[in-house]
Amino acid sequence: MTSLGIYLRGMLMGAADIVPGVSGGTMAFITGIYDTLLTSIRSVDLEFVRLVLKLDVRGAWEHINGGFLLALLAGIVTSIATLARLISWLLEYHPVPLWAFFFGLILASALVLLRQVRGWNPARGLCLLAGVSVAATIALAPVVNMHFGLAGVFLSGFLAICAMILPGISGSFILVLLGMYGTVLAAVNSFDLVFLAVLAAGAIAGLLCFSRLLHFLLHRFHEGTMALLTGFLFGSLLVVWPWKQVLAWVAGSHGQLKPAQQLPVGPVEFTALTGEPAQVPLCLGLMLLGFFLVWVINVRWGDPAT
C-alpha cells in the first residue's frame, strides 16, 4: 500500500467526516483499509508505552504503523481544510441535492459491504437486521440530555469517537443526539481548555477500547460482524434521506438552530411541509452520481495494495 494511496483514502475519510450523518469509517471500509486502521489504533498499547519510555522512537513508530497513520491523518486534515467551507455552504444553501448525493454514496457503500458477507445463514441475517435497527433507532431518536458535568463531557467524547469509526454512523451526529453538539462547538470557538481536554480524554479512551473490540469481532466473527456493519449502513440511509421533516432543533455555536431530530418524508410531503421545491430530477441524478463514484472508488482503491 503506497503512501499516496493511503493519503487519498484519508482525503475520502476527511470529506465524509465533514458531513453530519456520514462516517469516515464508511470510506475506510470501502477502500480496503478498515482492518489496517483498527490494527494500527489498537497497537497503541503497553508495549508502545514501554518503547516510548525507553526512547526507542523508531521501534514505537513501527509498532503502531506510524507511516500509515501519518499519511492517513495528513489526508484527513487536507480534506477537512479544503472542503469544510464548501460542504458547509452546500449544507446551508443546497441541502436537499447534497443529501441526495450522500444517499447515493451510502447506498452503494452498503451494497459493497453486502457483497463481502459470505455464506449467509439465519444468524448473519439477524446481525444484518440488528445493525439496521440500531442505526435506524439512532437516526430517529430524540435528543437526550448529557449536560451533567465533566462526566457527561467525557462520555460524549467516548461515544462520539466510537460512532466515528463505525461505518455509517457519524460522531458529530451522535453529539447532536446527546444534546452536546452546540456545547462542543461553543467550547471549540471559546477554546475552553478544560472542556476540550476532558472531551479529548473520552475520545482517546473510546478509540482505544472500541478499536480493540471491533478488531476482535472482525477476526473472531468476521462474517457476522460484516453483516452487522452492513446493517448499520443500510439503517443510516434514514439520516441522509434528502427529504425530511424536522421534529426538534438544537442550538449551534452562534445560537443558530440546527435539526436535532428528523423524520424522512416523501418529496411531495416535503414540499407541502416546507414550501421548498423537492428538486426530484436533480436529486435522482445526484443519487446515481454518488452511487457510481463509490463503485469507481471501490474498483480503483478497494484493493489495499494500491
Side-chain angles (χ1 to χ4, degrees), residues 60-219:
W61 183 258
E62 292 176 351
H63 181 72
I64 64 170
N65 198 2
F68 169 84
L69 290 176
L70 180 62
L72 193 70
L73 181 61
I76 292 173
V77 171
T78 300
S79 190
I80 291 175
T82 55
L83 294 178
R85 287 180 179 270
L86 174 62
I87 297 296
S88 297
W89 183 81
L90 290 172
L91 283 171
E92 180 73 22
Y93 296 103
H94 302 284
V96 173
L98 184 64
W99 285 121
F101 176 69
F102 293 138
F103 185 90
L105 290 177
I106 299 301
L107 177 59
S109 301
L111 293 176
V112 167
L113 262 66
L114 192 66
R115 294 173 58 210
Q116 296 183 25
V117 181
R118 303 285 184 253
W120 283 97
N121 56 35
R124 290 166 189 169
L126 287 175
C127 288
L128 178 70
L129 292 176
V132 172
S133 300
V134 170
T137 300
I138 292 173
L140 301 176
V143 174
V144 298
N145 185 5
M146 291 290 290
H147 296 280
F148 46 86
L150 293 179
V153 176
F154 182 91
L155 185 58
S156 296
F158 188 98
L159 295 175
I161 201 69
C162 290
M164 194 170 292
I165 61 174
L166 271 178
I169 302 179
S170 162
S172 60
F173 184 69
I174 293 298
L175 288 177
V176 169
L177 293 181
L178 295 176
M180 294 292 288
Y181 183 78
T183 305
V184 169
L185 287 181
V188 171
N189 290 331
S190 63
F191 206 56
D192 186 337
L193 291 178
V194 174
F195 183 101
L196 294 177
V198 174
L199 186 73
I204 292 171
L207 190 62
L208 294 178
C209 294
F210 201 60
S211 62
R212 283 166 169 74
L213 174 61
L214 278 177
H215 187 271
F216 169 79
L217 291 174
L218 283 169
H219 281 75

Side-chain angles (χ1 to χ4, degrees), residues 95-96 242-247 249 262-263 265-279:
V96 173
W243 301 287
K244 308 182 190 81
Q245 176 187 3
V246 179
L247 301 179
W249 300 84
Q262 301 181 89
L263 180 69
V265 297
V268 175
E269 187 177 356
F270 171 81
T271 299
L273 289 169
T274 65
E276 300 176 5
Q279 306 176 76

